[in-house]
C-alpha cells in the first residue's frame, strides 16, 4: 500500500541562531548580524531581529492540530539539504473518493513547509493525495492561517482550530474539485504525444523535443508518456486528461528540481491548463 511507503526524511535536525561576529571575529554589516546553522552548516545570514522558527516548534504545533481534531492520518516528511522541509498529513479516515475507478483513490492532504535558508515561507495549506501514484495534488489555494509572535524569549506560534477549517475545505473545495477530476477522466486522449506536446507549449515546463535538430520526445517527455501509458494499463482504462495531468504531476514532483512553493504553483498551473482541455 502506498501509504506504507511514504517518504520519511529526518526533519528535526539540530538548528540554532549564532552571532556572525562570534564565528568571524569581524564586525558584521547592519542587518546581517546572525547566522542560521542547520545540522552543522551555515544556511542563512539574517538580522538580529530575525525570528528563527525551528521545525520542532512548527511541525509539532501543526501535528497537534490534527490530534486535537481527532483525525487519523499518515505522515510524510521531506528534507532538502537541511535547508527546506515539508511535512504532509494524509487524512486516512472515511473522507475519500475515487475518480472513475475504485482503485484511483483521493484523500485530503495538509502540507506544512518551513525553511532555514529563506527559500520557503513558513506556511500550511490543504491539498489532495492520490494513492495510485503516491503524489500530492496541490490544485487548491486554501491556506491554513496562523500567527507568529516574537518576544524576548523567542518565537511563538498561534495555530487555529483545525476542525472548522477542515469542514469548510470539504464543503467548499474538496468535493467541488473532485467533480473536475471526474470530468477530466471522461475526456479520452487519442494521441498522447500530441497531448504532451500541447501541454508543454502551454506551460513551458520543459521542452518536448530532444533538441532543435532532434524532434523526438525528450527524456522528461518520454517519462510523462511512460507514466501515462503504465497508469492506463494498471487501471484498465483508455488514456485520458486526468491520467495525463497526473503523469505531468509525477514528473514535476519526482524529477524536476524546484522549491516546494514553486512546485505547488506549477501544479496549479498544470491543472488549470489541462482542465481547460476538458
Amino acid at each position: 500500500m502506498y501509504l506504507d511507503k511514504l517518504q520519511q526524511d529526518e526533519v528535526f535536525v539540530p538548528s540554532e541562531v549564532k552571532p556572525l561576529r562570534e564565528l568571524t571575529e569581524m564586525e558584521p554589516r547592519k542587518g546581517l548580524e546572525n547566522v542560521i546553522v542547520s545540522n552543522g552548516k551555515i544556511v542563512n545570514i539574517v538580522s538580529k531581529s530575525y525570528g528563527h522558527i525551528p521545525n520542532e516548534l512548527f511541525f509539532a504545533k501543526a501535528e497537534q492540530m490534527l490530534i486535537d481534531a481527532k483525525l487519523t492520518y499518515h505522515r510524510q516528511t521531506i528534507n532538502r539539504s537541511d535547508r527546506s522541509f515539508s511535512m504532509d498529513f494524509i487524512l486516512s479516515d472515511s473522507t475519500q473518493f475515487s475518480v472513475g475507478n475504485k482503485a484511483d483513490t483521493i484523500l485530503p492532504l495538509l502540507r506544512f513547509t518551513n525553511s532555514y535558508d529563506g527559500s520557503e515561507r513558513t506556511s500550511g495549506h490543504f491539498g489532495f493525495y492520490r494513492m495510485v501514484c503516491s503524489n500530492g495534488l496541490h490544485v487548491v489555494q486554501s491556506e491554513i492561517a496562523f500567527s507568529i509572535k516574537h518576544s524576548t524569549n523567542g518565537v511563538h506560534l498561534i495555530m487555529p482550530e483545525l476542525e472548522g477549517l477542515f469542514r469548510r475545505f470539504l464543503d467548499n473545495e474538496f468535493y467541488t474539485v473532485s467533480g473536475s477530476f471526474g470530468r477530466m477522466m471522461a475526456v479520452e486522449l487519442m494521441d498522447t504525444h500530441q497531448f504532451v506536446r500541447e501541454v508543454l507549449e502551454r506551460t513551458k515546463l520543459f521542452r518536448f523535443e530532444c533538441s532543435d535538430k532532434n524532434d523526438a520526445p525528450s527524456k522528461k517527455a518520454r517519462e510523462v508518456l511512460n507514466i501515462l501509458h503504465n497508469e492506463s494499463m494498471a487501471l484498465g482504462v483508455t488514456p485520458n486528461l486526468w491520467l495525463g495531468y497526473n503523469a505531468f504531476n509525477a514528473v514535476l514532483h519526482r524529477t524536476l528540481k524546484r522549491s516546494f512553493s514553486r512546485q505547488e504553483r506549477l501544479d496549479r498551473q498544470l491543472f488549470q491548463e489541462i482542465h481547460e482541455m476538458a
Side-chain angles (χ1 to χ4, degrees), residues 207-219 221-222:
R207 62 181 296 161
F208 178 83
E209 301 84 359
C210 285
S211 68
D212 291 339
K213 296 181 179 180
N214 184 354
D215 61 1
S218 64
K219 183 178 179 180
R222 292 197 305 273

Side-chain angles (χ1 to χ4, degrees), residues 162-186:
L162 180 61
E163 188 170 1
L165 290 172
F166 181 53
R167 286 296 138 202
R168 284 196 294 276
F169 169 66
L170 292 181
D171 293 341
N172 297 332
E173 292 187 86
F174 188 75
Y175 295 109
T176 300
V177 173
S178 72
S180 299
F181 295 165
R183 287 191 293 276
M184 291 165 71
M185 176 163 264

Side-chain angles (χ1 to χ4, degrees), residues 4-236:
D4 297 326
K5 299 177 182 178
L6 296 171
Q7 190 167 338
Q8 299 294 336
D9 293 347
E10 179 55 68
V11 296
F12 298 119
V13 297
S15 67
E16 61 180 325
V17 180
K18 300 190 74 170
L20 183 58
R21 184 176 185 178
E22 184 180 298
L23 300 177
T24 64
E25 297 184 352
M26 298 173 65
E27 190 67 30
R29 195 184 81 186
K30 184 177 180 180
L32 299 175
E33 295 90 356
N34 292 334
V35 297
I36 306 295
V37 179
S38 175
N39 210 15
K41 301 180 288 288
I42 295 175
V43 297
N44 205 0
I45 303 177
V46 298
S47 72
K48 61 184 177 182
S49 62
Y50 181 84
H52 175 55
I53 302 176
N55 292 338
E56 289 83 355
L57 172 64
F58 180 55
F59 290 149
K61 286 265 191 179
E63 188 160 17
Q64 190 61 48
M65 292 168 60
L66 279 86
I67 294 170
D68 292 343
K70 296 180 172 58
L71 294 170
T72 57
Y73 59 89
H74 292 259
R75 194 173 76 175
Q76 174 171 255
T77 53
I78 302 173
N79 175 342
R80 292 184 175 167
S81 303
D82 295 327
R83 298 163 63 182
S84 62
F85 314 86
S86 75
M87 184 173 284
D88 295 339
F89 299 101
I90 298 153
L91 306 185
S92 51
D93 61 6
S94 58
T95 306
Q96 62 181 44
F97 62 90
S98 298
V99 181
N101 186 307
K102 290 184 178 179
D104 199 351
T105 304
I106 307 292
L107 297 169
L109 172 149
L110 287 84
R111 164 164 285 190
F112 293 86
T113 58
N114 193 26
S115 69
Y116 293 163
D117 65 351
S119 62
E120 300 282 347
R121 68 188 182 91
T122 303
S123 65
H125 73 266
F126 289 99
F128 305 88
Y129 177 82
R130 182 172 179 251
M131 294 175 64
V132 168
C133 62
S134 65
N135 273 348
L137 310 177
H138 305 280
V139 300
V140 297
Q141 301 187 57
S142 292
E143 295 199 357
I144 300 167
F146 49 86
S147 61
I148 302 173
K149 295 187 179 296
H150 300 267
S151 72
T152 54
N153 297 322
V155 179
H156 301 275
L157 285 169
I158 310 299
M159 301 293 256
E161 292 293 328
L162 180 61
E163 188 170 1
L165 290 172
F166 181 53
R167 286 296 138 202
R168 284 196 294 276
F169 169 66
L170 292 181
D171 293 341
N172 297 332
E173 292 187 86
F174 188 75
Y175 295 109
T176 300
V177 173
S178 72
S180 299
F181 295 165
R183 287 191 293 276
M184 291 165 71
M185 176 163 264
V187 180
E188 296 183 352
L189 299 174
M190 298 298 105
D191 186 337
T192 55
H193 280 68
Q194 180 56 37
F195 162 74
V196 173
R197 186 191 298 274
E198 183 177 346
V199 171
L200 292 175
E201 287 175 354
R202 287 173 176 237
T203 63
K204 312 300 182 187
L205 193 61
F206 49 85
R207 62 181 296 161
F208 178 83
E209 301 84 359
C210 285
S211 68
D212 291 339
K213 296 181 179 180
N214 184 354
D215 61 1
S218 64
K219 183 178 179 180
K220 294 186 183 71
R222 292 197 305 273
E223 187 178 353
V224 173
L225 289 164
N226 288 337
I227 293 171
L228 178 51
H229 172 76
N230 292 338
E231 282 200 7
S232 300
M233 294 288 289
L235 294 170

